[in-house]
Amino acid sequence: LDEANSDSATFDSSQSGASYTYKAKLPATDSIGDELVLESGVSLPTITVLVGAVPMLMSSRGTNPVTELWIGPTKVVSEGAVYTTSGTGWSYDSSTCTLTLNGANISELAPNALIKFKNFDDTGNVYGIYCIGDLNIINTGTNTIDIRDASLDKSKGLKIYGNLTVTGSGKLTLAGLVRGIEGNDLTVKENVELECISSKETEYTNYSGRGISIYGAVIVSDKAHLIGRANRGNENTGIFLLGSMSIESDAMVSAFAMYGSAGGNIKGFDALNANIEVNGKLIVESGNAGDKRYGSGIFLMNSNLKVLGTGSVEVRAGNPGPTSGFGVYGVNAIGGGSITIDGGGF
C-alpha cells in the first residue's frame, strides 16, 4: 500500500467518513532475487478505503451491480460499499447480489434522509426495501415486507431501479399504500408465490394504488405464482405493465382490483404498449365501478394478448355504477393491438 508498500494501515475513530486511496506498488524483485517488471499495458490496481465502512468488495454481478440497498431501516449497501450482510430473517451475498429471506418480517421504513438516491427523485415516497441495481431474492418459507402501517405517506413495499429475480419456495408478500412492487424486469420462478399489495383491505386511502407496477419484461415460469392485488385506494390497478409478460406452462399470474372510492377507474390488469403471452394460467378480477367510472378486468391499450397451447385466461368484472353510460368490461381493448387464442382457453 502507498509508496511504503506496507501490508496494512491504521485509522482511528476521528477519521470516520474520510476516504483514502492507495496505489499498489510492485516489489523490485521476487523471492529469489529476480527483477519484477510489468508487461506493457498492464497496471496495478488502486484501493480506496472509506473509514467506518466494512471493508468488503462491491458485487460485480452482471452489468448492473447493486450500489444501494436498504432493508427497512438497515443500510446494507450504500454508494457501492457493503455495510452489513445479515439481519433477522435475511442475509445478503454481495458477490452475487443475492438477498436470502427466511422468516423475515419487515414493517419499518428505510430512512429517506440517508438513502443515496443519485439522480432518482424518490424523496416523495417511502420504502420497505429500496434498491439500485439488479437483485436476486431467494425465498424460503413465509416472508413479509409490509409498511402500510408505518406511514401515511406514499409507501412502496419494494422499489428497485434494476431487474429483480425471485426464486425459491414458500410465499413472499410485498405491501405498501401505493405500490407493492415497482421496478424494471421481473422474473419469478421455481415454486415461489410472490404477492404484491397496494392499500389496505378495510381502510380507504386517497392514493391511486397498483399492486404491481413493472416497466419492462415479466417472466413467470416453473410452478411460480405472481399476484398483484390493489385494495381500497382511489384508482386501483392489480397489475400495471409497460413492456411484456410471459406466463409459461404450469405458472400462474393473478390480478385483483377492489372497488376503492367513487373517484377512480378500476382495472385488474392494465397493459400499456405491452405484449402478453399466456401458456400457463392468468386470472383477473376487478371490483365494482364507481359512479361515472369504468371498471375493466383486463384493460389493453395498444397491447397484444396471446393465449397459446395449454394456456387459459379467466376474467371477471364487477358491477357498474348507478349512472348509465359508464360500463364494466371483462376485457376492454382500445387503441389498436390484438387478442389471439391459439389452442388456449378464454
Side-chain angles (χ1 to χ4, degrees):
L1 297 175
D2 209 6
E3 292 302 319
N5 201 35
S6 60
D7 294 328
S8 63
T10 303
F11 307 95
D12 59 46
S13 59
S14 66
Q15 296 170 283
S16 181
S19 178
Y20 297 87
T21 299
Y22 294 87
K23 183 178 180 180
K25 182 179 179 181
L26 188 70
T29 60
D30 63 13
S31 60
I32 61 175
D34 291 336
E35 182 181 8
L36 295 176
V37 179
L38 289 176
E39 292 183 1
S40 177
V42 176
S43 60
L44 294 176
T46 58
I47 301 171
T48 299
V49 177
L50 176 64
V51 180
V54 178
M56 300 178 184
L57 294 178
M58 184 182 73
S59 166
S60 58
R61 173 186 176 269
T63 58
N64 192 22
V66 169
T67 59
E68 196 79 18
L69 177 61
W70 291 76
I71 301 174
T74 303
K75 178 167 62 173
V76 182
V77 181
S78 186
E79 296 186 297
V82 181
Y83 285 80
T84 186
T85 58
S86 63
T88 302
W90 63 269
S91 61
Y92 180 68
D93 183 348
S94 62
S95 67
T96 59
C97 296
T98 298
L99 175 64
T100 300
L101 301 175
N102 189 353
N105 186 7
I106 308 298
S107 59
E108 297 180 76
L109 302 174
N112 274 18
L114 300 179
I115 296 175
K116 304 302 182 183
F117 291 111
K118 293 190 174 180
N119 296 325
F120 304 118
D121 185 15
D122 287 333
T123 55
N125 304 292
V126 291
Y127 312 93
I129 293 179
Y130 184 89
C131 181
I132 299 176
D134 296 341
L135 180 67
N136 297 309
I137 293 180
I138 299 175
N139 190 83
T140 300
T142 301
N143 297 279
T144 302
I145 291 84
D146 187 349
I147 57 170
R148 290 175 292 177
D149 289 323
S151 172
L152 296 177
D153 293 329
K154 295 179 180 180
S155 58
K156 300 178 180 181
L158 188 154
K159 171 67 177 182
I160 179 169
Y161 285 100
N163 304 325
L164 177 66
T165 300
V166 182
T167 62
S169 60
K171 181 174 182 178
L172 171 58
T173 301
L174 306 172
L177 289 181
V178 296
R179 303 285 187 272
I181 183 174
E182 186 171 65
N184 298 340
D185 293 355
L186 172 63
T187 300
V188 187
K189 57 186 180 179
E190 297 181 2
N191 197 32
V192 67
E193 179 176 292
L194 173 60
E195 182 170 20
C196 308
I197 305 170
S198 68
S199 305
K200 298 181 180 181
E201 293 82 355
T202 57
E203 298 178 25
Y204 290 103
T205 175
N206 288 326
Y207 301 132
S208 294
R210 298 172 180 172
I212 297 171
S213 190
I214 295 295
Y215 308 90
V218 178
I219 300 174
V220 186
S221 63
D222 303 322
K223 294 185 181 297
H225 186 189
L226 175 64
I227 305 169
R229 189 182 303 277
N231 290 316
R232 298 189 179 276
N234 183 5
E235 182 164 307
N236 295 335
T237 302
I239 296 176
F240 174 81
L241 175 66
L242 177 61
S244 65
M245 175 178 285
S246 175
I247 307 172
E248 299 183 4
S249 299
D250 296 325
M252 182 184 299
V253 172
S254 302
F256 305 103
M258 294 177 62
Y259 168 78
S261 67
N265 300 315
I266 306 300
K267 301 170 185 175
F269 193 133
D270 184 3
L272 174 61
N273 300 328
N275 292 294
I276 304 163
E277 188 170 295
V278 182
N279 288 280
K281 191 168 187 177
L282 173 62
I283 298 176
V284 182
E285 183 173 345
S286 63
N288 297 333
D291 189 29
K292 299 182 181 180
R293 299 294 173 181
Y294 293 97
S296 302
I298 298 177
F299 183 83
L300 301 174
M301 170 69 81
N302 296 321
S303 297
N304 302 306
L305 171 62
K306 293 182 179 181
V307 188
L308 306 174
T310 59
S312 67
V313 176
E314 299 177 17
V315 186
R316 293 179 289 273
N319 297 315
T323 301
S324 62
F326 297 85
V328 293
Y329 306 87
V331 179
N332 187 3
I334 63 175
S338 64
I339 297 174
T340 302
I341 302 175
D342 186 3
F346 205 115

